[in-house]
């Protein structure tokens, strides 16, 4: 019986991961469909909470979410199986691409396509940056805006280590949660 | 020891990329282009393009790609393990805390505090990619006239389409690739 659950977990996450283009949040609604609506392994509210944890934790959201689902359904062993299911598709696909990459890259047409797609990626990332940036500026709080510009200057012009910036901002976030200043926080 | 270096680098990427998806991008660039001479900036731009085109989280895709370039299939597996190790440990700890206390206010506070910094770092990496797309180099050249007009056009159209109609980025990427082949063939 347990084996059946393991197999099902592996196949489900493998399928989901193989279909998740663009990564990140895309996998959440897919998981919701699979594990909440179809298999009834997780309650809807619980899935929302698991999503919050997946987002709050470091690492890829898809990986985090599968760990949580696996852990919830079948403990640590379940988590290991879902991680494997999630990681294998990209591992296999990228490995195959990597082997052809050099020959691929020297091809004139591929080169044209890649140059075009780089401009496309740049557009996609600018779109993401603007959407994410908006959510910071719309809150009309001074602190996040200051943190944004300070981090941008620190990473872009002062070449300060990214990890150091993240750690400092984590501390700022923690202090801000514990002592929400009267002046900054909106009621 | 190359395997250990891969493991450690991607462990740091996994540990400090908070907020999923594009949050990993600046960290990957930092580790594999700046700290270690594993990829050139062109290769990094390529892997971002490939990662966007293929399923799976960006961090896992780049771990596999970098691992293979540096140390073959074992390298890919080790880099991937490094990347998901922090997730496994931290997510399960958070899940435990969640089921125990049903509250993640502190974690969410830290996350909120981090968000502007994460957006700032993605912005910086995005600027680098835009410069890469427009000039084929990492750093803005002194002479700005060498700009790649075709890339600018593809970028502008892609950006407009994304902002206005919120289409799936995958289609923008594919369109940009096709446009690249067509436009560069004509010119």
């Amino acid at each position: 019986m347990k084996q059946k659950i393991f197999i099902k977990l592996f196949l489900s996450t493998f399928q989901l991961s193989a279909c998740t283009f663009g990564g990140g949040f895309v996998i959440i609604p897919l998981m919701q469909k699979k594990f909440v609506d179809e298999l009834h392994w997780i309650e809807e509210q619980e899935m929302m909470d698991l999503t919050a944890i997946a987002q709050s934790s470091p690492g890829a959201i898809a990986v985090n979410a599968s760990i949580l689902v696996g852990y919830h359904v079948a403990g640590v062993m379940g988590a290991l199986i879902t991680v494997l299911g999630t990681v294998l598709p990209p591992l296999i696909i990228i490995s195959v691409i990597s082997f052809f990459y050099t020959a691929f890259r020297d091809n004139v047409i591929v080169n044209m396509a890649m140059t075009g797609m780089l401009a496309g990626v740049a557009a996609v990332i600018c779109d993401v940056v603007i959407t994410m940036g908006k959510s910071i500026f719309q809150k009309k709080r001074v602190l996040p805006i200051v943190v944004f510009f300070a981090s941008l200057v620190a990473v872009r012009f002062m070449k300060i280590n990214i990890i150091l910036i993240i750690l400092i901002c984590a501390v700022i976030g923690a202090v801000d949660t514990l002592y929400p200043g009267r002046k900054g926080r909106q009621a | 020891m190359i395997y250990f270096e891969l493991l450690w680098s991607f462990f740091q990427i996994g540990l400090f990329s908070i907020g999923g998806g594009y949050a990993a991008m600046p960290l990957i660039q930092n580790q594999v282009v700046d700290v270690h001479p594993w990829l050139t900036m062109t290769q990094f731009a390529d892997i971002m393009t490939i990662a966007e085109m293929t399923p799976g989280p960006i961090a896992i895709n780049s771990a596999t790609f970098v691992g293979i370039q540096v140390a073959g299939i074992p390298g890919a597996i080790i880099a991937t393990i490094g990347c998901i190790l922090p997730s496994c440990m931290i997510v399960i700890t958070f899940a435990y805390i969640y089921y125990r206390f049903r509250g993640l206010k502190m974690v969410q506070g830290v996350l909120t505090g981090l968000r502007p910094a994460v957006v700032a770092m993605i912005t910086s990496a995005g600027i680098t990619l835009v410069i890469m797309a427009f000039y084929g180099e990492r750093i803005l050249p002194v002479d700005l006239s060498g700009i790649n007009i075709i890339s600018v056009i593809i970028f502008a159209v892609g950006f407009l389409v994304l902002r206005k109609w919120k289409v799936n980025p995958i289609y923008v990427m594919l369109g940009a690739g096709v446009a690249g082949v067509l436009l560069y063939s004509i010119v």
Side-chain angles (χ1 to χ4, degrees):
Chain A
M1 204 45 224
K2 202 132 202 193
Q3 233 159 356
K4 236 180 180 171
I5 290 179
F6 286 156
I7 292 170
K8 191 110 204 169
L9 269 177
F10 177 80
L11 288 179
S12 307
T13 43
F14 188 91
Q15 267 171 17
L16 289 180
S17 174
C19 300
T20 316
F21 287 90
F25 297 100
V26 189
I27 204 163
I28 302 290
L30 294 175
M31 281 189 155
Q32 170 112 7
K33 269 209 181 92
K34 186 91 202 167
F35 295 109
V36 180
D37 303 341
E38 198 185 313
L39 295 170
H40 302 289
W41 282 355
I42 301 169
E43 304 263 325
E44 184 153 355
Q45 182 55 46
E46 202 149 27
M47 190 70 211
M48 304 242 277
D49 289 341
L50 294 185
T51 307
I53 300 175
Q55 267 176 270
S56 320
S57 311
I61 291 179
V63 174
N64 294 349
S66 2
I67 293 173
L68 287 167
V69 168
Y71 182 70
H72 176 82
V73 174
V76 173
M77 193 62 198
L80 288 178
I81 284 170
T82 47
V83 163
L84 197 66
T86 306
V87 163
L88 273 183
L91 193 68
I92 294 167
I93 293 168
I94 298 292
S95 298
V96 173
I97 291 178
S98 300
F99 279 114
F100 296 110
Y101 172 71
T102 324
F104 215 58
R105 201 61 177 88
D106 293 336
N107 183 297
V108 183
I109 293 181
V110 171
N111 207 347
M112 289 173 180
M114 288 294 273
T115 313
M117 280 195 285
L118 177 58
V121 176
V124 170
I125 288 162
C126 286
D127 178 52
V128 169
V129 164
I130 289 178
T131 308
M132 291 178 96
K134 252 192 196 162
S135 69
I136 291 168
F137 286 89
Q138 270 166 357
K139 276 187 200 143
K140 297 213 167 72
R141 282 195 68 208
V142 180
L143 185 67
I145 296 173
V146 170
V147 169
F148 172 81
F149 283 113
S151 311
L152 188 59
V153 169
V155 74
R156 185 102 205 128
F157 300 107
M158 294 158 76
K159 311 266 177 227
I160 293 174
N161 193 311
I162 292 179
I163 292 168
L164 187 68
I165 300 172
I166 290 178
L167 288 176
I168 291 171
C169 294
V171 173
I172 294 175
V175 172
D176 191 38
T177 319
L178 287 176
Y179 309 101
R182 275 137 279 160
K183 35 194 160 48
R185 181 85 69 179
Q186 296 277 318
Chain B
M1 183 65 181
I2 191 68
Y3 292 127
F4 183 75
E5 277 179 32
L6 275 172
L7 187 78
W8 178 232
S9 274
F10 279 93
F11 185 88
Q12 290 178 70
I13 291 168
L15 184 61
F16 290 105
S17 60
I18 300 170
Y22 297 95
M25 194 174 67
L27 285 154
I28 298 167
Q29 187 196 325
N30 182 250
Q31 283 292 330
V32 308
V33 182
D34 303 335
V35 177
H36 298 282
W38 288 334
L39 295 189
T40 64
M41 193 59 202
T42 309
Q43 284 175 312
F44 173 75
D46 281 348
I47 181 59
M48 285 303 125
T49 310
I50 294 170
E52 193 73 39
M53 292 277 309
T54 50
I58 289 179
I60 307 290
N61 288 340
S62 2
T64 307
F65 187 84
V66 174
I68 286 194
Q69 300 292 321
V70 175
I73 295 275
I77 294 169
I78 283 168
T80 304
I81 291 174
C83 196
I84 58 172
L85 218 52
S87 291
C88 293
M89 302 186 304
I90 291 167
V91 166
I92 290 179
T93 311
F94 279 174
Y96 175 79
I97 295 172
Y98 163 73
Y99 284 116
R100 192 86 200 257
F101 306 108
R102 293 273 162 176
L104 290 164
K105 193 164 176 271
M106 190 69 188
V107 173
Q108 247 142 24
V110 170
L111 188 74
T112 316
L114 270 183
R115 208 174 153 79
V118 171
V119 178
M121 280 176 261
I122 300 172
T123 307
S124 175
I127 294 172
T128 308
L129 274 189
V130 170
I131 295 173
M132 224 15 229
F134 288 2
Y135 290 100
E137 291 170 59
R138 257 187 96 167
I139 302 159
L140 206 58
V142 187
D143 177 21
L144 294 178
S145 60
I147 194 160
N148 182 336
I149 304 286
I150 294 177
S151 283
V152 177
I153 295 169
I154 296 175
F155 171 85
V157 173
F159 184 71
L160 212 74
V161 167
L162 279 164
R163 292 307 302 173
K164 208 160 162 80
W165 292 289
K166 314 234 173 288
V167 293
N168 190 329
I170 269 288
Y171 298 128
V172 173
M173 303 280 311
L174 287 176
V178 174
V181 174
L182 291 177
L183 292 173
Y184 287 111
S185 308
I186 297 166
V187 176

